[in-house]
Amino acid sequence: MSKNNRKPSKSWLNTFSLLMTTLKSITLLSCLVLVYAIFGEKFDFSFQKKEVIATKSTYVSNSNQKGDDWDKVENGIHLQTGLIYAENFDIIRGQCTACHSGKLIAQNRATREGWTQMIRWMQETQGLWDLGANEPKILDYLETHYAPKEVGRRTNINIAAVEWYILELEEN
Ligand code: HEC
């Protein structure tokens, strides 16, 4: 009778301890995953960033030495250049980011004419080469993605066409 009683309780204990071990492992694993989720990316990121800075300053054309960040695009922005990632982007990167950062381009907005003038200015005074068949593609890109804000959002208000009226204030 007593033997029969012990046996099931022992096996239950075994099951219980196995269960606890599993639970502990899961908890430990979750903690590790959590720690990695919080800190892992930070560590990785700072490491990769150092690598990119190094390749940037030495201007390495060997694709093996470019970091993973080289082609990273987030929310449509190519991170390394700060430029909108769209059609003809590769031409822009090739022709327009050799002398200065792409951020200088991203900060500016102009019409196609305005962009043409900037290119001419760089060609006349800063040693920018003849862009040849790439020029219309470059201008297409710039005109589409870096148009003046007003043109991009809405056309200017035509003052003459506005029907003006006198605003009557309620008197209390
Ligand atoms: C040969 C070198 C060179 C190349 C290639 C080059 N630029 Fe420039 N760019 C310059 C220099 C130098 C400046 C002046 C930088 C400064 O003011 O700090 C400049 C300035 C600019 C500016 C700022 C203009 C302003 O009014 O502030 C823009 C925008 C620009 N470049 C766009 C472009 C675009 C688009 C291309 C590709 C077609 C390009 N650059 C290629 C040399 C170059």
Side-chain angles (χ1 to χ4, degrees):
M1 188 68 180
S2 60
K3 254 187 185 172
N4 275 353
N5 263 349
R6 239 175 253 152
K7 255 192 181 168
S9 92
K10 208 174 183 186
S11 89
W12 187 85
L13 258 174
N14 278 343
T15 315
F16 181 73
S17 94
L18 191 74
L19 202 80
M20 286 309 283
T21 312
T22 314
L23 263 173
K24 270 188 237 166
S25 309
I26 289 172
T27 313
L28 191 72
L29 254 166
S30 317
C31 285
L32 282 174
V33 168
L34 200 71
V35 166
Y36 180 77
I38 295 170
F39 299 109
E41 207 179 319
K42 258 185 211 167
F43 291 143
D44 274 349
F45 186 62
S46 62
F47 171 70
Q48 284 173 351
K49 214 174 173 186
K50 257 181 230 155
E51 210 179 15
V52 169
I53 288 166
T55 56
K56 221 171 140 189
S57 60
T58 48
Y59 189 65
V60 184
S61 56
N62 182 351
S63 61
N64 291 337
Q65 291 185 42
K66 288 170 186 170
D68 288 342
D69 282 353
W70 193 260
D71 283 318
K72 229 177 186 178
V73 174
E74 254 178 47
N75 302 322
I77 303 288
H78 179 258
L79 294 185
Q80 203 260 337
T81 56
L83 289 166
I84 291 167
Y85 189 76
E87 202 188 348
N88 294 326
F89 166 80
D90 286 332
I91 298 172
I92 299 282
R93 175 158 69 174
Q95 302 291 312
C96 304
T97 62
C99 303
H100 50 69
S101 153
K103 277 146 201 137
L104 193 66
I105 301 167
Q107 281 163 9
N108 278 271
R109 285 175 171 276
T111 58
R112 196 179 182 91
E113 286 70 34
W115 281 113
T116 310
Q117 277 167 25
M118 271 190 253
I119 288 173
R120 294 289 170 270
W121 172 79
M122 281 181 284
Q123 284 170 333
E124 279 157 26
T125 63
Q126 310 299 333
L128 173 60
W129 45 84
D130 181 16
L131 296 166
N134 281 329
E135 189 172 298
K137 291 177 193 167
I138 287 169
L139 287 170
D140 285 347
Y141 172 93
L142 294 169
E143 184 187 29
T144 309
H145 303 292
Y146 296 100
K149 283 229 165 88
E150 247 81 336
V151 172
R153 279 203 232 127
R154 58 161 173 80
T155 49
N156 286 339
I157 292 171
N158 180 357
I159 303 262
V162 174
E163 284 181 41
W164 297 98
Y165 61 92
I166 292 165
L167 186 66
E168 284 177 38
L169 295 174
E170 274 178 50
E171 275 180 48
N172 292 321

